[in-house]
Amino acid sequence: MIWAFLKFTKTLNEIPAFVGIIKEKIMSVLVYTESENGKFKKTAFEVASYAKAVADQLGTTVTAVAVNANDSSELGQYGVDKVLNVSNADLNDFNAKSYAAVVKQAAEKEDAKVVIVSQSADSKYLAPVLAVGLNAGYASNVVEAPSSTAPFTVKRTAFTNKAFNLTTIDTDVKVVGVSNNAFGLVENSGSAAAEDFSPALPTSGVKVESIDKATDKVTIADAEVVVSAGRGMKGPENWGMIEELADVLGAATACSKPVSDLGWRPHGEHVGQTGKPVASNLYIAIGISGAIQHLAGINASKVKVVVNTDPEAPFFKAADYGVVGDAFEVIPQLIEKLKAFKAANA
Amino acid sequence: MKILVCISHVPDTTSKINFTDGDSKFDTNGVQFVINPNDEFGLTRAMWFKEKQGASVDVINVGGAETEPTLRKALAIGADSAIRVNTPATDGFQVAKELAKVVKDGGYDLVIAGRESIDYNGGMVPGMLAELTDANFVTNCISLEVDGTNATAVREIDGGKETVSTALPLIIAGQKGLVEESDLRIPNMRGIMMARKKPLTVLEPSTSSSETTTVKFEKPAPKGAVTLVDADNLDELVNLLHNEAKVI
């Protein structure tokens, strides 16, 4: 096709300009930066940081696409050069098909060869749909910047955090899903230019009827600290101290599978292989023995603390710090110590 | 209603994870394989549709002959027939393309898959399949009701849940909540005997493309021993979390 075009190019002078345009556009990195109620999520800044690292490797720039975000200039602090701002009331409810269409059109507009998304529930929902739309290979749960860009090689978790899988994405366009809290935030002194973007929306056969969400609580997916408790708490009536500990730490609360099966806590709090995955900076397990299925789900957390009466509990083998003791004595004391620590460091 | 349940053949959770061939392949030596837990919740929900709403239920796997015992187990649980696409599953996109052909040719109304497999954790096959077959799609599905061609599903979202209305043809990626753990079925002797006579069709692959390639596996660095803190000295724990781990 290029040769066909060149044939029609009348003067040789035009050729370098044409090649120049191709070079400039060929390797942009696009990142989908997720927001909620107009505010960017922390994962948006993390994927922006990741996109910047990839762009640096490729010697190119970062374009973000944001949907109904109030202030996209914040993204400049994480290395984004340009933001495509989509503002459309039809996108107030998340819809995988519509959002995938938005990101796809942004990728095509920017001629992006690498598209970065987070691994939030919504981004995990849209990524495979997007990959098909772009005819792109997709690597999910990626934890590091690419070790090579040709071939494009990423490291991802597999076997529910029991191994890593080095994968090449072999297609022209690549979709990369970056695990939450794996790459971290990298601040940058740049600024992001804003541009309005109005992609066409497809009709979707999935319509949101209602959303049931606690707005005042930090979610397990976004939490830096997760306080999790198991059957060692003896009953749902004893969760007050768990919630208080979580409150002091600004943490999300979670629970083991038996606790959710017994109905002591809602299913949405169940973490582990068949529950929610956890990748927090600090995970505190109270009265949880540490069954392999539980550990598989929380292993991506960076620092693990266990409190258990049984020194033989398997969790002690997986934890960084352990307290052998009765939660009913340890937790109230820990709450007091943390309050004192916070007061001293405030 | 014609239902297809996608069954991944995965190592049991308690399996030792090791690799062979210069760390490029999973070592299946001595490993017990099972139906992927997320798929088993879906299969159990499909059985409910079969018993209460007269649905037919086929199961499918993309993989070599070694996955057939896992498909037979699904038949023993109650599926009517099984399909195996005879090619190693190397990439989610490739698997989705194989499934898309079967879904289109078979005219399935509802496809139930798991939100992810517990081995590769790709979490991409159901979404790709939906896009390839132009079906509606709900992921992280924790409840599904079908009434005629209309469906109501609940999706788990970060920090809560969302109820959606949609319609067949529909693809869902299910997980625990679709049914409860206590609803899961262990095949009985009669089921196992019947499963031997049920059809298991082997199809040859329709595509040879692969969009990603596994180069190598690595195991995480061995973790250091736990630092024990005395229950009477919790100041030390706070100190360690602040000064050593730097997480508070």
Side-chain angles (χ1 to χ4, degrees):
Chain A
M1 238 176 86
I2 289 174
W3 291 115
F5 180 80
L6 290 182
K7 268 190 204 165
F8 290 106
T9 308
K10 285 201 177 104
T11 66
L12 280 171
N13 289 342
E14 285 178 51
I15 294 174
F18 175 67
V19 172
I21 290 167
I22 290 195
K23 257 194 174 161
E24 189 195 319
K25 290 190 75 178
I26 204 155
M27 292 195 298
S28 36
V29 173
L30 184 82
V31 57
Y32 166 54
T33 46
E34 213 174 297
S35 58
E36 190 169 9
N37 301 325
K39 281 187 68 181
F40 286 111
K41 293 187 175 181
K42 189 187 143 205
T43 55
F45 301 133
E46 186 170 22
V47 287
S49 304
Y50 186 95
K52 172 66 176 162
V54 178
D56 284 348
Q57 285 182 333
L58 293 169
T60 185
T61 56
V62 178
T63 302
V65 56
V67 177
N68 295 338
N70 296 336
D71 177 14
S72 65
S73 68
E74 283 178 282
L75 293 172
Q77 296 163 32
Y78 299 94
V80 173
D81 299 287
K82 179 166 103 178
V83 186
L84 299 175
N85 276 311
V86 181
S87 181
N88 188 331
D90 291 340
L91 294 168
N92 283 349
D93 285 329
F94 177 81
N95 180 289
K97 198 177 175 80
S98 305
Y99 273 62
V102 167
V103 181
K104 173 176 185 273
Q105 289 168 69
E108 286 166 350
K109 174 178 152 57
E110 295 295 300
D111 200 15
K113 300 298 175 195
V114 182
V115 180
I116 316 279
V117 300
S118 83
Q119 298 283 264
S120 70
D122 286 352
S123 286
K124 272 190 160 175
Y125 193 179
L126 77 84
V129 178
L130 171 68
V132 170
L134 291 170
N135 201 18
Y138 166 44
S140 59
N141 304 333
V142 170
V143 291
E144 285 177 7
S147 56
S148 147
T149 53
F152 196 91
T153 312
V154 288
K155 184 174 179 175
R156 57 184 300 278
T157 55
F159 296 93
T160 322
N161 295 315
K162 282 185 273 188
F164 296 107
N165 172 0
L166 266 84
T167 299
T168 58
I169 308 180
D170 309 326
T171 43
D172 182 33
V173 181
K174 300 147 181 72
V175 177
V176 179
V178 181
S179 283
N180 293 359
N181 214 18
F183 188 74
L185 303 180
V186 183
E187 296 222 22
N188 219 285
S189 57
S191 68
E195 188 179 306
D196 287 338
F197 181 51
S198 307
L201 297 185
T203 49
S204 170
V206 179
K207 186 169 166 285
V208 175
E209 297 293 340
S210 64
I211 294 175
D212 175 9
K213 184 172 174 173
T215 48
D216 56 333
K217 284 183 85 177
V218 46
T219 65
I220 292 168
D222 295 332
E224 309 253 349
V225 182
V226 172
V227 174
S228 188
R231 249 184 316 191
M233 293 309 294
K234 297 193 167 68
E237 66 279 10
N238 297 323
W239 244 260
M241 69 175 89
I242 301 301
E243 283 177 341
E244 194 180 350
L245 177 61
D247 208 39
V248 174
L249 289 164
T253 53
C255 71
S256 68
K257 184 170 152 302
V259 163
S260 95
D261 286 347
L262 286 163
W264 292 0
R265 300 294 292 178
H267 279 313
E269 280 200 3
H270 163 206
V271 296
Q273 182 172 264
T274 53
K276 281 200 169 68
V278 181
S280 54
N281 285 335
L282 173 60
Y283 182 81
I284 303 180
I286 299 154
I288 297 176
S289 63
I292 194 158
Q293 290 86 347
H294 184 82
L295 296 177
I298 61 98
N299 244 338
S301 291
K302 297 205 169 75
V303 176
K304 284 151 267 185
V305 176
V306 57
V307 178
N308 205 300
T309 48
D310 177 9
E312 301 295 318
F315 214 121
F316 283 98
K317 288 204 170 66
D320 301 286
Y321 303 100
V323 179
V324 179
D326 184 349
F328 292 90
E329 287 162 22
V330 172
I331 300 310
Q333 278 191 58
L334 184 59
I335 291 169
E336 292 316 310
K337 304 281 185 200
L338 285 166
K339 278 184 178 165
F341 167 79
K342 274 182 78 174
N345 287 273
Chain B
M1 180 163 56
K2 265 190 96 173
I3 302 177
L4 183 67
V5 181
C6 305
I7 301 287
S8 276
H9 163 85
V10 298
D12 179 69
T13 313
T14 54
S15 305
K16 288 256 182 300
I17 305 297
N18 289 308
F19 303 100
T20 59
D21 288 15
D23 286 335
S24 66
K25 286 203 173 77
F26 176 63
D27 183 359
T28 57
N29 200 5
V31 169
Q32 169 93 27
F33 280 84
V34 296
I35 298 176
N36 181 47
N38 290 311
D39 303 347
E40 198 175 350
F41 294 118
L43 175 63
T44 310
R45 187 64 188 158
M47 287 302 107
W48 188 92
F49 286 121
K50 177 180 155 117
E51 285 154 16
K52 306 283 188 201
Q53 299 187 357
S56 69
V57 177
D58 296 344
V59 291
I60 186 166
N61 169 267
V62 176
E66 71 281 2
T67 70
E68 288 192 6
T70 300
L71 284 173
R72 288 281 174 207
K73 188 183 171 198
L75 292 172
I77 287 170
D80 300 307
S81 73
I83 301 163
R84 178 172 68 80
V85 181
N86 186 30
T87 184
T90 57
D91 167 67
F93 208 153
Q94 168 233 359
V95 171
K97 284 178 185 171
E98 295 297 345
L99 294 174
K101 170 120 188 2
V102 175
V103 169
K104 282 180 190 162
D105 291 351
Y108 290 95
D109 304 298
L110 173 65
V111 180
I112 305 180
R115 88 171 170 203
E116 66 176 22
S117 66
I118 63 165
D119 51 0
Y120 290 89
N121 311 109
M124 65 182 80
V125 171
M128 288 178 162
L129 177 59
E131 191 62 9
L132 289 169
T133 58
D134 203 22
N136 293 320
F137 171 50
V138 179
T139 195
N140 290 14
C141 187
I142 52 171
S143 165
L144 176 68
E145 302 290 344
V146 178
D147 180 8
T149 59
N150 293 321
T152 304
V154 179
R155 170 173 82 103
E156 194 169 80
I157 58 177
D158 290 335
K161 53 193 178 182
E162 173 186 275
T163 304
V164 299
S165 59
T166 184
L168 304 178
L170 172 67
I171 293 174
I172 67 154
Q175 61 180 60
K176 188 184 153 206
L178 203 48
V179 300
E180 292 310 317
E181 196 100 0
S182 53
D183 299 325
L184 296 179
R185 301 171 183 197
I186 297 161
N188 56 25
M189 192 46 77
R190 186 164 166 269
I192 294 167
M193 298 301 285
M194 282 171 69
R196 289 185 189 167
K197 297 196 189 102
K198 288 179 178 172
L200 192 162
T201 310
V202 178
L203 300 176
E204 287 311 310
S206 58
T207 156
S208 59
S209 77
S210 184
E211 281 68 21
T212 64
T213 311
T214 290
V215 183
K216 191 168 167 273
F217 289 99
E218 283 174 5
K219 290 214 262 183
K223 213 191 68 61
V226 62
T227 303
L228 287 178
V229 177
D230 197 282
D232 297 324
N233 189 14
L234 294 173
D235 281 323
E236 178 62 10
L237 180 61
V238 174
N239 176 39
L240 287 167
L241 291 177
H242 180 60
N243 291 314
E244 189 178 84
K246 300 191 189 323
V247 286
I248 60 168

